[in-house]
Amino acid sequence: MDKLIINGGNRLHGEIPISGAKNAALPILCASLLTADDIELTNVPHLKDVQTMLTLLQQMGVTVKKDGNKIVMNGNTVHNFNAPYELVKTMRAAILVLCPLVARFGEAKVSLPGGCAIGSRPVEQHIKGLRALGAEVEIKAGYIYAKAKKLKGTRIVTDMITVTGTENLLMAATLAEGETVIKNAAREPEVTDLAHLLVKMGAKIEGIGTDRLVIHGVERLHGARHDVIPDRIETGTFLCAVAATGGDVTLTKTRDNILESALNKIREMGADISAGADWIRIKMEKRPRGVNFRTTEYPGFPTDMQAQFMAVNCLADEATHVIETIFENRFMHVQELNRLGARIKTEGNTAFISGVGKLVGAPVMATDLRASASLVIAGLAAQGETQVNRIYHLDRGYDRMEVKLTAVGADIKRVKQ
Ligand code: EPU
């Protein structure tokens, strides 16, 4: 397993290009199952999770042609409707093949994802919605078996706001007979990006970007071209890195209107932020001020940024608290940040951070993607050497992070093991 060695203390200066959004690309790749025509995608990030999803889709019979960050997919010869445990256990987003398969081919066998480092993360809302659309769904020996001659439009109100649940049911409804209403829908920009692709494919969707999606099912969908939106979490992660180390960095190929709540918190930390249509510049001249926040669904503060902001809070003078409301176990970075000298205590879903002003490098290990990112941020600001172990988590969701950080002056290198 590779690790990262970081010598902290360098200020960051220069430009970082932001990649396409992981959490938009993953459902969008699955949308290739909904049509027999070509789906041409640009701005697809180079990530382990994207590769895993492509492997799964190829096993099903989707053809994939890759050229840099461009991918052309064709679902004309799909013959296998099975998502095996071996793949789903490495990437929960594989559940996103369930609804497209049932909608177009009338059947699917998809492994239940099981638990995950950040929470139990059940998928019963995906199943409940698919049943409401008329599918017969059985759970046997760890697999979801779903069948439907033709899905039928219905009204769905999910018990909680679920991102991939909304995406799965939205894809199902595009090919269902009649009208489907999804209430309590997730409004994350990644859901909206998927909806925009589906509309280009011929889907009829109203209420895009709101919590009430109305879908008028069509007989078939056709090919389309689409440019994946910028990754707002990668953007926010680099903003946190600069807030922690100080410096002056322009993030290109991204935009500010998909991460307003996080940007407001970065400003509160004392950063000077300016932005244009496709760039965001951060200048940070002082030590960060600590910020309190509570994670919620979009447009609130994203759970996927909680760990990175907590790392910056450790460097502040003041005491802060952070409340995690989306996942029940998303504080796995706390013990590791404490190894770097942070003073964080947790009580239930609240973390209390006593700012310590400086961190000192140490070996650390991460258990999930965003936790790994928080340790990199802490390591960049810490005195001395930090080793971040188990970085396969980082490679799942960040496109060559150490290369991008080196280009702006960080002392960070990957050691192959
Ligand atoms: N939930 C249920 N039942 C369901 C579905 C969800 O109880 O059927 C619960 C979850 O356990 C969680 C909450 O509802 O407590 C919200 O979960 P959601 O379904 O929205 O999460 P997800 O769709 O599995 C996506 C992202 C996550 C991100 C969350 C929240 C993708 C591929 N993943 O997950 O991204 O944290 O939304 O915004 O889009 C990451 O990129 O690091 C990551 C974990």
Side-chain angles (χ1 to χ4, degrees), residues 22-23 121-125 160 162-164 304 326 370:
K22 166 178 86 81
N23 290 346
R121 302 183 74 182
V123 290
E124 86 289 349
Q125 298 302 312
M160 78 288 295
T162 155
V163 174
T164 50
D304 289 346
I326 306 293
R370 309 304 171 186

Side-chain angles (χ1 to χ4, degrees), residues 68-85:
N69 66 8
K70 184 176 164 187
I71 296 187
V72 182
M73 311 178 74
N74 186 289
N76 188 29
T77 52
V78 174
H79 52 84
N80 168 16
F81 313 129
N82 180 7
Y85 176 66

Side-chain angles (χ1 to χ4, degrees), residues 22-24 26-27 49 92-93 95-96 116 118-127 160-165 167 186 188 190 232-233 296-298 302-304 325-328 330 368-370:
K22 166 178 86 81
N23 290 346
L26 295 175
D49 273 7
R92 304 176 51 83
I95 189 74
L96 285 163
C116 152
I118 61 177
S120 60
R121 302 183 74 182
V123 290
E124 86 289 349
Q125 298 302 312
H126 304 229
I127 295 169
M160 78 288 295
I161 299 174
T162 155
V163 174
T164 50
E167 291 164 347
E188 269 64 7
E190 294 75 21
R232 66 193 164 102
I233 307 301
T296 54
E297 295 85 0
Y298 190 83
T303 173
D304 289 346
T325 74
I326 306 293
F327 292 110
E328 67 271 22
R330 212 175 195 178
D368 83 86
L369 168 57
R370 309 304 171 186

Side-chain angles (χ1 to χ4, degrees), residues 279-414:
W279 57 269
I280 301 174
R281 180 175 180 186
I282 173 167
K283 284 199 268 179
M284 186 71 171
E285 296 306 335
K286 45 194 165 214
R287 185 167 163 189
R289 275 196 298 273
V291 293
N292 298 319
F293 62 91
R294 180 174 180 273
T295 64
T296 54
E297 295 85 0
Y298 190 83
F301 189 95
T303 173
D304 289 346
M305 291 290 332
Q306 180 253 106
Q308 301 91 313
F309 272 75
M310 197 188 291
V312 186
N313 270 351
C314 296
L315 298 160
D317 267 331
E318 47 279 274
T320 51
H321 65 269
V322 166
I323 306 173
E324 170 61 52
T325 74
I326 306 293
F327 292 110
E328 67 271 22
N329 195 26
R330 212 175 195 178
F331 283 148
M332 304 292 275
H333 42 286
V334 164
Q335 290 310 325
E336 300 300 303
L337 288 171
N338 284 346
R339 287 175 54 74
L340 297 172
R343 280 182 36 218
I344 311 169
K345 280 193 194 140
T346 58
E347 240 172 66
N349 69 346
T350 307
F352 298 92
I353 302 119
S354 310
V356 288
K358 73 167 187 180
L359 298 172
V360 180
V364 286
M365 185 156 72
T367 41
D368 83 86
L369 168 57
R370 309 304 171 186
S372 312
S374 79
L375 297 175
V376 171
I377 291 166
L380 291 171
Q383 293 174 353
E385 184 182 288
T386 298
Q387 282 187 22
V388 185
N389 292 291
R390 285 209 190 161
I391 56 162
Y392 64 86
H393 290 294
L394 211 59
D395 293 334
R396 289 186 49 200
Y398 287 93
D399 190 348
R400 294 162 293 195
M401 186 190 235
E402 77 281 7
V403 176
K404 293 186 183 187
L405 284 169
T406 302
V408 291
D411 182 347
I412 176 170
K413 59 175 184 290
R414 178 183 290 254

Side-chain angles (χ1 to χ4, degrees), residues 204-225:
K204 296 202 162 43
I205 308 171
E206 290 159 27
I208 293 175
T210 74
D211 63 358
R212 184 173 182 274
L213 296 169
V214 181
I215 304 107
H216 303 274
V218 294
E219 248 331 283
R220 62 180 54 81
L221 295 172
H222 52 71
R225 287 190 181 156

